[in-house]
Amino acid sequence: MDLQKEVSKLTKKELVELIMELVEGDQDIAKKIEFKLVTPNDEVKASKQLIRKYINENKRQGFISRRNVHAALQGAEMVLDKGRDKLVNGEEELAIELGITVLSIVIDMLQYTDDSNGEIGFVINESITLLQDASSLVLLSLNHRGQERAFDLILKEAMHKRYDGWNDTRYELLDVCTIYSARSSERRKLEETLEKLLSQVSDMSSLSSDYDKQAILQLQLKIMERNGEMEQASQFVHHHIEYDEFRKMAIEKAIENENYETALQLCKEGEENDSKYPGLVKQWKECRLQVYEIIEDMEKQKDILIEFVLDNEYEAYGKLKELYSPSEWQTALEKIFELLEGKSSNYLPHVYEYIAKLENRSDKILKYVEQAPSTIIELYPYLIADYRDRVEEIFMQHILSEAEDATDRKKYRHVCRKLVVYKEACGDEKFTCVVQQLKDTYERKPAFVNELEKVEK
């Protein structure tokens, strides 16, 4: 049923009666309608009271459990709705005040709330979005005093101590402030604030301080970009190339300008400089692969993709195979298997099994199962036609080993579930022999014997 269509058919009198009926039956609906329709003298104050009312109603011994988070945020959601309405009606400054009102209260909820569902995080993001949208509209207006007030409100909020420990939200607020950087006075205030923050984090030495430095530097860069200072921005990026986000920007710009040698050099330098951080090394190799794809250097693409395959990456295998002709692939495939088998680890990586299955290489699947016998449970269908005797042998050894380690009924049942698979793989006769062998071996474990008898039926 199209509810909106049906409601639109109601007369004014019928609509009023419907609303009053709903209000009388549900206090929450009454609060929402009252908040939406009634304009108090101080909307910000009323909004704060509403948000806190819902929060306090859902607190239990000073804590909000996960199941009560949604209800606790109803006031905040109502204020955000009103903020969006203000935006539509051209009241951008009030929308900003309401957005800050929500954010300032909700951020504190993280201290005493189980937000494992991310509902507070969602409201925080919605508040930031409201501030961004309102700020963009404020900047388009001719009300310069209003622009200054809006900027000062957001900057003051960003630097409040409540965001100590929640730096990402602080940086999001400062990012909103960059919208106002077209105004010289606001730009100066923001740049001074960022320099002060940068000075504070520069005195520390840790991974988190490096993250903070990058975040602040990116805000400084954004000010230049927002004001069309592209040459200055480019120099700024290269001046801070030691930070991964700036290196990534420089690589992307070099690719955009078709300066492929420069892009490759930046990638290789990144791999050397960040050799202690596998995630970053991988990122720079991916960038290098992107360049090789553009310039169609097939051999270099193969080299990197083989590295990725050796690092247990499934997707790289498919891309690598596409670079070979069918006649070349078999030789390349043997080399990949050889390299994977030659790695120092005691166990073959999962990508070895993945490739062996896709290539219908039962010999390689057997090799994988031999070094990880528990996988016989899932992989026997790939082996039974070519290696039946070996499958039966590995199955037997695995089940007997599991039985030896079983010490309680839960583990006995686990062994019996594997026996059912063994029966499917090797047949009734083999199954019956193994069950009997286990019953004889563990006759002094009545619980185990009992489970074995169940599986026999």
Side-chain angles (χ1 to χ4, degrees), residues 35-196:
F35 183 70
K36 195 167 184 68
L37 299 180
V38 179
T39 303
N41 294 329
D42 189 337
E43 287 191 80
V44 173
K45 182 179 179 181
S47 296
K48 288 179 180 178
Q49 291 172 345
L50 183 74
I51 296 169
R52 291 195 174 107
K53 183 178 188 300
Y54 277 90
I55 290 172
N56 292 332
E57 284 176 356
N58 289 280
K59 269 186 184 178
R60 301 292 181 272
Q61 297 179 327
F63 183 76
I64 299 175
S65 66
R66 184 175 62 178
R67 68 178 182 178
N68 289 331
V69 176
H70 183 74
L73 288 170
Q74 288 304 294
E77 292 279 11
M78 289 159 63
V79 175
L80 282 176
D81 283 341
K82 177 163 275 194
R84 295 183 193 105
D85 289 343
K86 297 297 180 186
L87 207 55
V88 171
N89 295 329
E91 299 177 73
E92 296 90 358
E93 286 184 62
L94 184 51
I96 287 171
E97 288 188 75
L98 294 175
I100 290 174
T101 295
V102 173
L103 188 60
S104 63
I105 297 174
V106 167
I107 195 77
D108 286 337
M109 286 179 68
L110 291 167
Q111 305 287 353
Y112 52 81
T113 304
D114 176 359
D115 189 41
S116 48
N117 286 340
E119 293 184 74
I120 293 177
F122 176 79
V123 171
I124 288 172
N125 290 337
E126 288 295 296
S127 302
I128 295 292
T129 299
L130 176 61
L131 294 175
Q132 289 170 336
D133 294 343
S135 294
S136 297
L137 292 174
V138 166
L139 200 65
L140 292 174
S141 74
L142 298 176
N143 184 352
H144 299 308
R145 186 160 293 183
Q147 293 170 358
E148 184 179 356
R149 280 197 303 268
F151 170 81
D152 287 341
L153 275 173
I154 299 169
L155 183 62
K156 181 181 178 182
E157 181 63 23
M159 299 313 296
H160 196 284
K161 65 180 181 180
R162 68 169 62 94
Y163 299 99
D164 293 348
W166 305 106
N167 285 349
D168 283 344
T169 306
R170 169 172 282 151
Y171 298 142
E172 286 182 283
L173 283 166
L174 290 170
D175 183 70
V176 176
C177 289
T178 66
I179 294 171
Y180 299 85
S181 64
R183 290 173 51 82
S184 58
S185 58
E186 278 66 40
R187 176 173 179 169
R188 186 176 62 255
K189 288 179 189 176
L190 180 56
E191 286 178 333
E192 288 172 357
T193 300
L194 294 175
E195 281 297 336
K196 183 179 177 181

Side-chain angles (χ1 to χ4, degrees), residues 7 35 53 179 235 244 278-279 293 298 302 341 402 457:
V7 170
F35 183 70
K53 183 178 188 300
I179 294 171
Q235 291 174 6
D244 59 280
E293 287 171 346
M298 307 284 279
K302 290 175 184 177
E341 290 165 11
E402 291 278 293
K457 297 174 182 178

Side-chain angles (χ1 to χ4, degrees), residues 22 29 71 112 127 147-148 159 170 190 195 222 236 265 285 292 310 314 322 329 344 353 362 368 403 410 416 418 438:
L22 290 170
I29 292 177
Y112 52 81
S127 302
Q147 293 170 358
E148 184 179 356
M159 299 313 296
R170 169 172 282 151
L190 180 56
E195 281 297 336
K222 196 159 192 177
F236 189 84
Q265 185 61 35
K285 285 182 179 178
Y292 292 142
L310 295 179
Y314 292 21
E322 289 174 0
W329 176 241
S344 58
E353 173 209 346
S362 60
Y368 184 82
K410 182 179 179 181
C416 289
K418 294 192 174 185
L438 289 171

Side-chain angles (χ1 to χ4, degrees), residues 217 220 235-244 246-247:
L217 290 169
Q220 291 178 323
Q235 291 174 6
F236 189 84
V237 167
H238 284 278
H239 184 68
H240 298 288
I241 203 74
E242 72 271 21
Y243 296 107
D244 59 280
F246 285 84
R247 183 175 296 277

Side-chain angles (χ1 to χ4, degrees), residues 315-331:
E315 190 178 329
Y317 153 77
K319 290 183 178 180
L320 181 62
K321 186 173 182 177
E322 289 174 0
L323 297 176
Y324 289 89
S325 67
S327 59
E328 295 173 322
W329 176 241
Q330 287 309 311
T331 302

